[in-house]
PDB file of all heavy atoms in Angstrom:
ATOM      1  N   THR A  24      21.993  47.025  -9.366  1.00 98.00           N
ATOM      2  CA  THR A  24      23.377  46.863  -9.788  1.00 98.00           C
ATOM      3  C   THR A  24      23.636  47.890 -10.944  1.00 98.00           C
ATOM      4  O   THR A  24      22.766  48.291 -11.583  1.00 98.00           O
ATOM      5  CB  THR A  24      23.610  45.442 -10.343  1.00 98.00           C
ATOM      6  OG1 THR A  24      22.799  45.243 -11.504  1.00 98.00           O
ATOM      7  CG2 THR A  24      23.341  44.386  -9.289  1.00 98.00           C
ATOM      8  N   TYR A  26      27.012  48.827 -13.775  1.00 98.00           N
ATOM      9  CA  TYR A  26      28.339  48.388 -14.263  1.00 98.00           C
ATOM     10  C   TYR A  26      28.992  49.399 -15.155  1.00 98.00           C
ATOM     11  O   TYR A  26      30.108  49.200 -15.546  1.00 98.00           O
ATOM     12  CB  TYR A  26      28.188  47.052 -15.022  1.00 98.00           C
ATOM     13  CG  TYR A  26      27.261  45.996 -14.384  1.00 98.00           C
ATOM     14  CD1 TYR A  26      25.964  45.803 -14.854  1.00 98.00           C
ATOM     15  CD2 TYR A  26      27.673  45.270 -13.272  1.00 98.00           C
ATOM     16  CE1 TYR A  26      25.115  44.880 -14.160  1.00 98.00           C
ATOM     17  CE2 TYR A  26      26.860  44.387 -12.666  1.00 98.00           C
ATOM     18  CZ  TYR A  26      25.538  44.166 -13.132  1.00 98.00           C
ATOM     19  OH  TYR A  26      24.808  43.292 -12.492  1.00 98.00           O
ATOM     20  N   LEU A  43      25.038  49.001  -6.719  1.00 99.00           N
ATOM     21  CA  LEU A  43      25.985  47.913  -6.456  1.00 99.00           C
ATOM     22  C   LEU A  43      26.726  47.465  -7.771  1.00 99.00           C
ATOM     23  O   LEU A  43      26.092  47.053  -8.654  1.00 99.00           O
ATOM     24  CB  LEU A  43      25.157  46.652  -5.945  1.00 99.00           C
ATOM     25  CG  LEU A  43      25.945  45.356  -5.883  1.00 99.00           C
ATOM     26  CD1 LEU A  43      27.078  45.346  -4.904  1.00 99.00           C
ATOM     27  CD2 LEU A  43      24.950  44.175  -5.533  1.00 99.00           C
ATOM     28  N   GLY A  45      28.188  44.797  -8.841  1.00 98.00           N
ATOM     29  CA  GLY A  45      28.144  43.458  -8.398  1.00 98.00           C
ATOM     30  C   GLY A  45      29.093  42.600  -9.247  1.00 98.00           C
ATOM     31  O   GLY A  45      29.303  42.892 -10.464  1.00 98.00           O
ATOM     32  N   ASP A  46      29.540  41.501  -8.681  1.00 98.00           N
ATOM     33  CA  ASP A  46      30.357  40.651  -9.461  1.00 98.00           C
ATOM     34  C   ASP A  46      29.452  39.852 -10.395  1.00 98.00           C
ATOM     35  O   ASP A  46      29.963  38.980 -11.175  1.00 98.00           O
ATOM     36  CB  ASP A  46      31.306  39.730  -8.604  1.00 98.00           C
ATOM     37  CG  ASP A  46      30.569  38.860  -7.664  1.00 98.00           C
ATOM     38  OD1 ASP A  46      29.285  38.952  -7.534  1.00 98.00           O
ATOM     39  OD2 ASP A  46      31.207  38.139  -6.850  1.00 98.00           O
ATOM     40  N   SER A  47      28.105  40.019 -10.325  1.00 97.00           N
ATOM     41  CA  SER A  47      27.283  39.487 -11.344  1.00 97.00           C
ATOM     42  C   SER A  47      27.664  39.964 -12.765  1.00 97.00           C
ATOM     43  O   SER A  47      27.213  39.465 -13.720  1.00 97.00           O
ATOM     44  CB  SER A  47      25.761  39.925 -11.016  1.00 97.00           C
ATOM     45  OG  SER A  47      25.717  41.302 -10.795  1.00 97.00           O
ATOM     46  N   ASP A  85      31.444  44.772  -4.974  1.00 98.00           N
ATOM     47  CA  ASP A  85      31.731  43.428  -4.550  1.00 98.00           C
ATOM     48  C   ASP A  85      33.209  43.068  -4.420  1.00 98.00           C
ATOM     49  O   ASP A  85      33.981  43.431  -5.288  1.00 98.00           O
ATOM     50  CB  ASP A  85      31.110  42.440  -5.513  1.00 98.00           C
ATOM     51  CG  ASP A  85      29.784  41.794  -5.082  1.00 98.00           C
ATOM     52  OD1 ASP A  85      29.656  41.644  -3.865  1.00 98.00           O
ATOM     53  OD2 ASP A  85      28.931  41.565  -5.985  1.00 98.00           O
ATOM     54  N   LYS A 114      31.348  44.938  -0.426  1.00 99.00           N
ATOM     55  CA  LYS A 114      30.387  43.835  -0.095  1.00 99.00           C
ATOM     56  C   LYS A 114      31.200  42.570  -0.012  1.00 99.00           C
ATOM     57  O   LYS A 114      31.959  42.155  -0.902  1.00 99.00           O
ATOM     58  CB  LYS A 114      29.243  43.747  -1.084  1.00 99.00           C
ATOM     59  CG  LYS A 114      28.270  42.582  -0.675  1.00 99.00           C
ATOM     60  CD  LYS A 114      26.910  42.813  -1.374  1.00 99.00           C
ATOM     61  CE  LYS A 114      26.887  42.345  -2.810  1.00 99.00           C
ATOM     62  NZ  LYS A 114      27.245  40.951  -3.090  1.00 99.00           N
ATOM     63  N   HIS A 138      27.049  39.851   3.126  1.00 98.00           N
ATOM     64  CA  HIS A 138      26.052  39.180   2.208  1.00 98.00           C
ATOM     65  C   HIS A 138      25.812  37.717   2.786  1.00 98.00           C
ATOM     66  O   HIS A 138      26.763  36.964   2.895  1.00 98.00           O
ATOM     67  CB  HIS A 138      26.669  39.094   0.847  1.00 98.00           C
ATOM     68  CG  HIS A 138      25.845  38.563  -0.226  1.00 98.00           C
ATOM     69  ND1 HIS A 138      25.949  38.961  -1.549  1.00 98.00           N
ATOM     70  CD2 HIS A 138      24.852  37.657  -0.255  1.00 98.00           C
ATOM     71  CE1 HIS A 138      25.077  38.274  -2.323  1.00 98.00           C
ATOM     72  NE2 HIS A 138      24.442  37.451  -1.568  1.00 98.00           N
ATOM     73  N   LEU A 181      23.107  42.268   3.341  1.00 99.00           N
ATOM     74  CA  LEU A 181      22.308  41.897   2.189  1.00 99.00           C
ATOM     75  C   LEU A 181      21.922  40.477   2.360  1.00 99.00           C
ATOM     76  O   LEU A 181      22.760  39.585   2.636  1.00 99.00           O
ATOM     77  CB  LEU A 181      23.133  42.089   0.920  1.00 99.00           C
ATOM     78  CG  LEU A 181      22.417  41.963  -0.423  1.00 99.00           C
ATOM     79  CD1 LEU A 181      22.968  42.824  -1.464  1.00 99.00           C
ATOM     80  CD2 LEU A 181      22.441  40.557  -0.939  1.00 99.00           C
ATOM     81  N   GLU A 183      20.144  37.298   0.450  1.00 98.00           N
ATOM     82  CA  GLU A 183      19.762  36.807  -0.862  1.00 98.00           C
ATOM     83  C   GLU A 183      19.049  35.432  -0.765  1.00 98.00           C
ATOM     84  O   GLU A 183      19.543  34.522  -0.169  1.00 98.00           O
ATOM     85  CB  GLU A 183      20.974  36.670  -1.814  1.00 98.00           C
ATOM     86  CG  GLU A 183      20.603  36.132  -3.194  1.00 98.00           C
ATOM     87  CD  GLU A 183      21.724  36.277  -4.204  1.00 98.00           C
ATOM     88  OE1 GLU A 183      22.742  36.936  -3.880  1.00 98.00           O
ATOM     89  OE2 GLU A 183      21.470  35.852  -5.343  1.00 98.00           O
ATOM     90  N   ILE A 204      17.102  40.541  -1.591  1.00 98.00           N
ATOM     91  CA  ILE A 204      16.843  40.174  -3.021  1.00 98.00           C
ATOM     92  C   ILE A 204      16.340  38.719  -2.900  1.00 98.00           C
ATOM     93  O   ILE A 204      16.984  37.798  -2.392  1.00 98.00           O
ATOM     94  CB  ILE A 204      18.140  40.182  -3.937  1.00 98.00           C
ATOM     95  CG1 ILE A 204      17.891  39.719  -5.365  1.00 98.00           C
ATOM     96  CG2 ILE A 204      19.389  39.554  -3.280  1.00 98.00           C
ATOM     97  CD1 ILE A 204      18.871  40.153  -6.350  1.00 98.00           C
ATOM     98  N   VAL A 214      17.195  45.046  -3.576  1.00 98.00           N
ATOM     99  CA  VAL A 214      18.170  45.219  -4.662  1.00 98.00           C
ATOM    100  C   VAL A 214      17.782  44.230  -5.798  1.00 98.00           C
ATOM    101  O   VAL A 214      17.217  43.153  -5.496  1.00 98.00           O
ATOM    102  CB  VAL A 214      19.579  44.931  -4.207  1.00 98.00           C
ATOM    103  CG1 VAL A 214      19.789  43.630  -3.561  1.00 98.00           C
ATOM    104  CG2 VAL A 214      20.631  45.044  -5.329  1.00 98.00           C
ATOM    105  N   VAL A 216      19.214  42.939  -9.924  1.00 97.00           N
ATOM    106  CA  VAL A 216      20.172  43.081 -11.061  1.00 97.00           C
ATOM    107  C   VAL A 216      19.498  43.863 -12.100  1.00 97.00           C
ATOM    108  O   VAL A 216      18.318  43.553 -12.550  1.00 97.00           O
ATOM    109  CB  VAL A 216      20.595  41.711 -11.546  1.00 97.00           C
ATOM    110  CG1 VAL A 216      21.393  41.836 -12.865  1.00 97.00           C
ATOM    111  CG2 VAL A 216      21.442  40.898 -10.483  1.00 97.00           C
TER     112      VAL A 216
HETATM  113  O1  KIV B 301      26.678  40.620  -7.747  1.00 84.15           O
HETATM  114  C1  KIV B 301      25.459  40.939  -7.598  1.00 84.15           C
HETATM  115  O2  KIV B 301      24.801  41.450  -8.460  1.00 84.15           O
HETATM  116  C2  KIV B 301      24.869  40.649  -6.259  1.00 84.15           C
HETATM  117  C3  KIV B 301      23.392  40.751  -6.161  1.00 84.15           C
HETATM  118  C4  KIV B 301      22.767  39.443  -6.678  1.00 84.15           C
HETATM  119  C5  KIV B 301      22.911  41.110  -4.874  1.00 84.15           C
HETATM  120  O3  KIV B 301      25.522  40.344  -5.360  1.00 84.15           O
END
Side-chain angles (χ1 to χ4, degrees):
T24 63
Y26 315 104
L43 167 63
D46 58 0
S47 51
D85 257 327
K114 179 161 80 60
H138 183 152
L181 188 147
E183 178 165 357
I204 176 163
V214 56
V216 171

